[in-house]
Amino acid sequence: MSLLHRQLSQLLSVWRWKRRVDVSLYPAAGFHFRTFCSTTTSNTDPIEIHKKKLFLWFSHLPQEEKQFGGYFSPETMHVDPLILERKPEDRAGLLNSSLQSEATSNPSITVEQLFDPTDTCYENRGLNVLLYGAVGTGKSTVVRKLVLDWCSGSTLTHFKLMVPFSCEDLSQLSKVASLRDLVGRKYFHLRKHPMLSGEGNQAKNVLFIFNGMEKMNLDFRIGSTELCSDPNEALPPGVVLVNLLRKYLLPEASILVTTRLSALDRIPQKYVSRYAQICGFSDPDRQRAYFSSRLLQQSGELPHNQEVHALIELLYLNLQEKSQLAAACFLPSYCWLTCATLHFLHLTDANSHIRTLTGIYTNFLRLNFGGEVLGTGIGTNVPIQEHQSSLMLYVVRTVGKVAFDGVIYKRTSFSEKELEQWIGGKTKTDEELRQLAMFRTDVLDFFLARSVESGQNLPEVASEHDQRRYVFAVPAMQEYLAALYVVLGENKSALEKFTNQVSEAIGQASEDVSALFNILSKFIPLRIFAVFNLLKLFPKIYEKISSYNKGSIARTMASELFRTEDSYNEDVLDQVEQSLLGVHGPQPKQYSEGRPFELYPIFMGGLLHYENRVLLQQLGCSIQSSTVAQITQALRKYLVRELSKPQPPDELMDLLVLLYEFQNPRLTAEVLASIRSIPLTSIRMTSLKCFILSSVLSCAPASYRLEKLDLSSCLLTNDMVQILRPAFKHTRNLNLQFNSLGPESCVILRDLLLDPESSIKSLLLCDNALLDSGACTLLEALPQNESLTHLSLMHTGIGDQAALELAERLQKHGGLQELNVAYNNIGDNAALALVDTCKEHPSIHTVHLYLNPLSDVGKQALYVRGVPKGHSGSGRRVKVLASVTEGTDISEDWHPILRVIRENASSWDREHLKQQLQVFLRDLEWGRQQQRNIWKRLHFRRVEKGVRQTLEMLEKDSLPPSTGHSK
């Protein structure tokens, strides 16, 4: 039995090893790994165990990748960033705009090539390679790919053992340990491996990797760091690393160290064999390869893939134009953000996991700055951790202030002097100056980049009045950081900050104050004793000041969301898409002088969501639950007040996005209670926007009903209707005119009409190619539906079959009042059968049949059928609108018929309309000839003039654009 168990275990191990997985390219501030415990038999090679365990762990995806389902998976193709070898004297050269021209003279190399023998290397001495780069250039990703390739045997095969370490993990160790102990703690199966014993030259086959060296305080001074050549001697981790780099400990071993720019000089030049700078993606082709590998990782249908291909082409065109996005995507981190945002905008469907734009940006910052701290510890004997503070919080207080002032004063670019003023601030101590220098070197370029526009035709030496301008690498990042700056309370006044500090101090000493109060009240006069009463009341005073501040945040959110000057801009999701894909064709009209910052209030709402607050807490940015409660309470009041005024469709779409980003069902339900109509006409709906609309309305109670949901001219498709079905349940009057719906949509709408929870009274489907098949499917719901009173199937391509089916189904539906089947292919017989049924129907009062191919005899018969006879029991008249005339009289509805034609002529068949207007003129001429009353003849002339004017406008093509209205 034990033999069988061993065989099965070996087969399972082989099967797992053969599951070849490539690494996905994504930014990470550092990699961490757990202690691996060996569970296999002692006969298994420790190196093979090591490779398998390394492969499994380094193939692990962080949560930020998993949230995108199968799209961002480990099978995603890796795109190598540009790596340039630097001479020692050029090692500190920073990234600049001329990097592409520099790359032509210095070809890119691979990490494997960095370990090729050099002319200066000594025999039996390994190489020390220092790979450095700014935040977001892909250092950790390159290391991750290197480890996986070594595990699979595709690179650095001359190294029999690779031992990766996270310097962040090493910096947290407080106890001394030998090199072999450090390796054994991380990789238990290597604890006694002879390659690490120091005997002979076995270590020449070993490669150590230390990722994120800037997190350790290395001191190479002999007086501070003792020499050690014994791998078994216990020393602090920093001392072990220093001796490895000195080649005093295991000199035959090779070492790869990655670090940020600011930490380059922590390793003396004499201990570095080669310098290499990782420079990200230097050309649009590398960027395109990355986007293709990310966005095309799906097994969807061919049309879906074609849509993604079109997105990539638009993105590539924008990059080729050397846009600001191309400058941002120089960093692989921003390529990740671009892919995540496009995935959010275009690959969202009804089955998608709940994701928000704020969540994407928060996850992006956690990927790049999670666990990152700002501290130097240079020239001290104190561990570097004690000099550290949250790097993200430092970003908010510096770059966030720049972003906030830019939003307040409608500015997107900043001069060098302004950045110096805002970011430099009033620094006094040496430690603050060192932190500032480190921040500028490592982080500032991650958020701010040279403006592409200001960089064109710029002289090499900028004059005092012609300074270089800097912008945020991604426009939305400015609004995100500004929102974070406000929500964290960093924009408090001096009084608020002072009261906060005093209140916290008194709160911490509240018991002491009470004790002192009880003692001194017996000895101190009342006039002095009042001071202590004031101190006891001080926290309450601060609470009032604090709540006022939270109210001002909510008021800012509401006022910024409904700015009058921004009311004519496109909705925020379209603005985000344009910033990524560029604007192709005519530029959108801008009615405000500066760029609108409509994402700013939406990000403020999204940052209050619990999941985002948890991530921010990990970054050292804490948003208290009490703060969220106060802002939410005040925000509801301001939103309800603003919604009492009519809002344009774009502003309403932005409101829906805010409520979605907030992810607060209670607040959403309270705001929806004040909304009775959502007119989104002419909004370019996408799957995401449909998902947002349905998600928001799903927060309302089951009894909630919208009086009107207008989605006309929104480019809706069959798939979008499926996503919107939950929203339709809350609607009484549903307008889906002028979209791209087909017969498939009728299946969803039929089921909607049959749903007992649905209460749709009016359904308008004008200008959708439903055809007979779709209309017949929809009409299957009529016998069991009890709510529908108005149905419009105008210009939907239906013919006699659907008209006869409608006549049959109407006999079993008793609530319909108005039926519009104008501008279709309905002939005389089907039209007569339909009118006969409507005449017998208990509630139908109007039938629209104009612009159908009806003969003169047929129209006359329709009019006669609609007029009740003298012996009719009910005497009810069904109004039949088949022409501008009714027999020998003018139709009461001639003007609405002409208005519908004029408003929709630009999207309808011009020749068909001209023919119908000619028919109207013949009807008017015949009716005028039958009249003897001079006043009625003049009325015919007036109507005839209106028809001729419409006909002339059609011939001259001078009609106004289609407004998407129909009766």
Side-chain angles (χ1 to χ4, degrees), residues 67-83:
Q67 66 174 330
F68 297 100
Y71 294 102
F72 292 177
S73 63
E75 291 80 10
T76 303
M77 181 176 58
H78 175 91
V79 179
D80 289 318
L82 177 68
I83 300 178

Side-chain angles (χ1 to χ4, degrees), residues 25-31 78 81 83 111 130-146 209 211-215 256-261 276-280 332-333 368 372 442:
L25 177 60
Y26 61 89
F31 57 83
H78 175 91
I83 300 178
V111 180
L130 183 57
L131 179 65
Y132 65 95
V135 174
T137 49
K139 300 183 295 297
S140 297
T141 301
V142 168
V143 169
R144 187 180 296 267
K145 181 65 164 56
L146 181 68
I209 298 178
N211 189 44
M213 185 269 292
E214 71 277 353
K215 297 183 176 67
L256 173 64
V257 177
T258 69
T259 186
R260 291 199 223 140
L261 294 169
Q277 184 176 13
I278 181 169
C279 303
S333 295
N368 288 279
E372 294 289 336
D442 292 336

